[in-house]
Amino acid sequence: MNKKDKFLTIGQFAAMHGINKKTLMWYDEIGLFKPASINPENGYRCYNYHQSPILETILLLRELDVSIPEIQDFIKNRSAASLKNLLEDKITDLDLRITHLQAVRTTLCTHHQNMSTLLTMNLSEISVVERKERCLVTIDINQETSFEEEVELITAETEKYQLGRLHDASYGSMIPVSSLLAGNYNDYCKLYIEIPFLTYQPGLHIAPGGKYLRAFHKGTWDNLPQRYEEIFAFAREHNLMLHEFSYEMGINENVIDRIDDYIVQIEIPVDN
């Protein structure tokens, strides 16, 4: 007899596939996966090697969160075509999950960097940093746009780009450098959403790569104009030309209770 034709006990077969034998017993009870035979002397379930591919397929589908009824239907009508179609659907689902997890990882790294910055930062410091080009989803606003309207606009955009959770992205606001230089410190024109792995599409805003002037402001927005005056003085002293937009983003919203402790990061593209 070929070794592969020999029977295995339920314990041996379960161990071979890295599962609990109770799982095999349950699969048998619901008619999903039957043993090859039942020992007539003791009533024990027996399996053989040739059943392994079917069980591994079931275990793979369960790992992909395919429901028991779906798997039962597939097992009853299994064919190359039905498995191909089922796997195509699950590959699509898995790709979406991977993208989501990558986005979550990026968000965690951003939060981690923000917390590291908070622990080591000098709030008075103004520096020049390098930034990669970014594609941003933007929402047009003006001084008349209410908070409720902003929420509705953000919700619509997150749905448009199939953003499952708000924490999958970073959010901020944009104000033209020309407005700041003219003393119009409340002339915010856009909200932005930075979605990890978002590639260029028509209508997206491109935040250019290159050098950015970076500064921080702590507290309410009332004193933000003073911080911008310090930024302009730094730029003049170092012969830096500010251009396009100032990108503002809160970096400690998840660890504070008072607005007085709020810290906004300010980044402005520069040429020298």
Side-chain angles (χ1 to χ4, degrees):
M1 177 185 288
N2 189 309
K3 290 183 179 179
K4 292 183 179 180
D5 291 327
K6 290 185 177 180
F7 286 121
L8 300 170
T9 67
I10 188 171
Q12 291 171 325
F13 197 66
M16 187 169 72
H17 292 277
I19 60 176
N20 191 299
K21 64 181 183 180
K22 289 183 178 180
T23 300
L24 288 175
M25 295 169 66
W26 181 53
Y27 285 172
D28 181 16
E29 290 171 2
I30 64 176
L32 178 62
F33 184 75
K34 294 284 188 180
S37 69
I38 301 294
N39 188 317
E41 296 181 2
N42 53 28
Y44 289 170
R45 297 172 174 85
C46 299
Y47 299 82
N48 63 43
Y49 176 84
H50 300 291
Q51 292 181 284
S52 287
I54 298 175
L55 178 59
E56 282 299 322
T57 300
I58 292 172
L59 296 176
L60 172 62
L61 295 176
R62 288 298 291 152
E63 192 169 337
L64 294 173
D65 293 329
V66 180
S67 68
I68 291 296
E70 285 182 282
I71 298 176
Q72 287 175 320
D73 184 63
F74 163 71
I75 293 298
K76 292 176 183 176
N77 305 283
R78 71 180 186 275
S79 66
S82 63
L83 182 57
K84 173 179 175 293
N85 292 335
L86 181 59
L87 292 180
E88 282 177 351
D89 290 342
K90 296 309 168 184
I91 288 170
T92 299
D93 292 343
L94 187 58
D95 285 342
L96 291 174
R97 287 168 57 191
I98 290 172
T99 299
H100 169 69
L101 289 173
Q102 288 174 328
V104 170
R105 187 184 190 282
T106 299
T107 301
L108 290 177
C109 289
T110 299
H111 287 326
H112 181 268
Q113 180 60 50
N114 288 344
M115 295 307 103
S116 297
T117 300
L118 287 172
L119 293 172
T120 59
M121 71 191 305
N122 178 353
L123 281 173
S124 64
E125 182 181 14
I126 299 174
S127 60
V128 176
V129 298
E130 287 285 337
R131 288 287 261 153
K132 293 181 179 179
E133 182 180 278
R134 296 170 292 158
C135 294
L136 306 177
V137 177
T138 57
I139 299 163
D140 292 333
I141 60 170
N142 55 51
Q143 295 184 40
E144 304 302 320
T145 307
S146 68
F147 176 73
E148 290 76 13
E149 290 172 326
E150 291 181 0
V151 171
E152 290 179 1
L153 290 168
I154 289 175
T155 301
E157 288 301 309
T158 55
E159 291 178 353
K160 178 180 176 181
Y161 289 92
Q162 298 181 332
L163 190 64
R165 296 286 186 273
L166 290 178
H167 63 237
D168 287 353
S170 299
Y171 301 83
S173 56
M174 297 164 55
I175 183 169
V177 168
S178 58
S179 295
L180 293 170
L181 293 173
N184 299 321
Y185 296 107
N186 294 318
D187 193 22
Y188 290 93
C189 64
K190 296 179 185 292
L191 301 177
Y192 73 81
I193 307 171
E194 183 175 356
I195 303 174
F197 316 111
L198 183 64
T199 55
Y200 178 74
Q201 302 173 35
L204 294 180
H205 172 83
I206 303 298
K211 292 182 178 180
Y212 280 69
L213 192 153
R214 176 184 289 171
F216 300 93
H217 170 71
K218 182 178 181 180
T220 66
W221 283 265
D222 294 340
N223 295 324
L224 197 52
Q226 179 181 340
R227 188 54 169 157
Y228 272 114
E229 292 295 335
E230 294 168 355
I231 290 170
F232 299 151
F234 179 93
R236 288 192 297 269
E237 180 182 349
H238 294 83
N239 296 315
L240 299 174
M241 181 72 70
L242 307 175
H243 60 92
E244 294 197 16
F245 295 93
S246 173
Y247 300 87
E248 298 181 4
M249 180 180 68
I251 65 169
N252 67 336
E253 295 168 308
N254 49 0
V255 293
I256 62 169
D257 295 317
R258 302 186 314 131
I259 191 62
D260 288 343
D261 295 324
Y262 184 81
I263 297 176
V264 61
Q265 174 182 278
I266 301 166
E267 292 186 334
I268 307 174
V270 297
D271 292 324
N272 55 7

